[in-house]
Amino acid sequence: MTGGPVEKQAASFVQAAPIAPRPAPVTDRGILGWIHANLFSSWFNALLTLIGLYLIYEIASLVIDWAILRAVWSGDNREACLSTDPNLPAGACWAFVRAKFPQWIYGLYPTDERWRVNLVFILGAVGLVPMMIPRMPFKRANAIYLLAIFPVITLILLGGGNFDIDATRWIWLATMLGLALLVILLLSKGADIIEFAPAFRAWIIAAICLVLLYFVLGANFGLTHVETSLWGGLTVTLVVAITGMVASLPLGILLALGRRSHLPVVRLFSVIFIELWRGVPLITVLFMASVMLPLFMPEGASVDKLLRALIGVALFTAAYMAEVIRGGLQAIPKGQYEAAEALGLGYWRKMQLIILPQALRIVIPGIVNSFISLFKDTTLVSIIGIFDLLGILHAGLADANWSTPQTAATGYFAVALIFWLFCFSISRYSMFIERRLGAGSNR
């Protein structure tokens, strides 16, 4: 029997088209799905989540109550930050922060000349912001501005320019350039380690830049000279941190390459330098630069204390940076070295075009970690009498006009918040760069 009522009724249930996919359950998608998967996926995770939320609630309640609800936001002296209720202690004394904030930024810099510090901040932002945006053009010109031009402008604006460039300093410069040319000749013609033509071109460019630098630093721009002992606050913190970062990275690269060099003298020098600087704490380096170094200098010769601290911080950070970069160099497969050599590339071309771009991409987290550590270690310069942000806070706490039980806690809380904002920003930007370069999890 075919074509009966039963067969026609069965045929009417045949699906003529694929069933449309149905959405996942509400507990597996969206914000509820994320919460279920990450916070309450098991009873143990749920317990940890509840404990964590309770701790966050308790800590946040205390901080908000002290820093906002019971805080004093304005006032001219300590009287404003004292509690009028003996049973209820006062909250944060933000009036103290407002009163001392210009000093935190400029230190003891003359009030009439603070526009120069502001101009330095603006010029730095003008160069830094386009450099941090990947799609912005003229990266090479921007890098030259940030690494070569901006430091000179900063030195002239903050210091006032018209530095004493006498005949002795010109003779010293000529001697150093002559020695550098002699080393190039020995390494190229004698040992055949480097190519003479590119090295000589680099020497000419460096010689021209240094001569121009001497002329610019010796020129009189009509600015009032400001001693570095008057610099302070966030200005000094940024100067020390940025100088250490900019100087330590190329030095670290050279030391890392030197430690892996096949030349025993270069390798031994690199090893001794790295182990010597890594073997002592930074505070010892700063004391050496501040107290011991002047004892070994010729009579009448002196180097600015801040400059000595900058050199010490840069060399100390370079030793750590070298080991970070050496880790990246060791992570490069041997085939990459062999492929570069098969292309006929020399040592420096091989490193510049093949090895270092890969190695530096691998060690971005380590480099950023060193930068963040350096930024926080700048507070140690206050021990040798340089008033960085923490040092200028300590100076402000000695002001009897603001002596209250909450002044110190508020000051440390505010300074910690400033440091956290800078460090967190550096960390987030490094994560963005890692994602863009495909480093990390995408590797």
Side-chain angles (χ1 to χ4, degrees), residues 15 118 168 273 342 364 431:
Q15 185 67 37
N118 296 333
T168 305
F273 182 92
I364 286 176
M431 294 175 65

Side-chain angles (χ1 to χ4, degrees), residues 368 372 421-432 434:
V368 174
I372 291 176
L421 286 174
F422 275 97
C423 294
F424 183 71
S425 301
I426 296 173
S427 175
R428 298 303 299 180
Y429 183 73
S430 75
M431 294 175 65
F432 165 73
E434 285 182 48

Side-chain angles (χ1 to χ4, degrees), residues 258-305:
R259 187 157 189 170
R260 289 174 55 84
S261 174
H262 297 295
L263 299 175
V265 175
V266 176
R267 185 171 64 250
L268 180 62
F269 172 79
S270 302
V271 170
I272 291 175
F273 182 92
I274 293 171
E275 298 303 332
L276 176 64
W277 288 89
R278 284 203 309 167
V280 295
L282 178 58
I283 191 171
T284 305
V285 175
L286 293 174
F287 270 118
M288 285 287 293
S290 175
V291 180
M292 298 296 293
L293 185 61
L295 301 179
F296 299 101
M297 298 187 67
E299 186 176 355
S302 64
V303 179
D304 186 83
K305 181 191 288 187

Side-chain angles (χ1 to χ4, degrees), residues 3 16 28 38 60 134 143 203 209 221 242 298 334 343 354 365 404 408 410 433 440:
D28 292 341
N38 294 278
W203 180 85
C209 292
F221 295 93
I242 294 175
K334 188 178 179 181
L343 293 174
I354 306 296
T404 70
T410 307
I433 293 297

Side-chain angles (χ1 to χ4, degrees), residues 116 123 136 406:
R116 289 152 57 174
L123 293 176
M136 291 295 288
Q406 300 297 329

Side-chain angles (χ1 to χ4, degrees), residues 152 155-156 160-174 209-221 225 307:
V152 178
L155 183 60
I156 293 173
N162 197 16
F163 293 97
D164 184 18
I165 309 294
D166 54 13
T168 305
R169 297 181 189 277
W170 281 105
I171 294 173
W172 181 85
L173 175 62
C209 292
L210 289 174
V211 171
L212 288 177
L213 177 64
Y214 265 48
F215 275 115
V216 171
L217 293 180
N220 185 5
F221 295 93
H225 180 68
L307 178 60

Side-chain angles (χ1 to χ4, degrees), residues 2 5 17 20 22 39 65 88 103 122 131 150 167 175 183 190 197 235 260 275 296 328 410 435 443:
T2 59
R22 288 179 292 182
L39 302 180
D65 179 60
L88 183 65
Q103 204 174 59
I122 294 173
M131 197 68 187
F150 177 67
T175 304
V183 171
T235 303
R260 289 174 55 84
E275 298 303 332
F296 299 101
T410 307
R435 288 194 299 271
R443 179 177 169 79

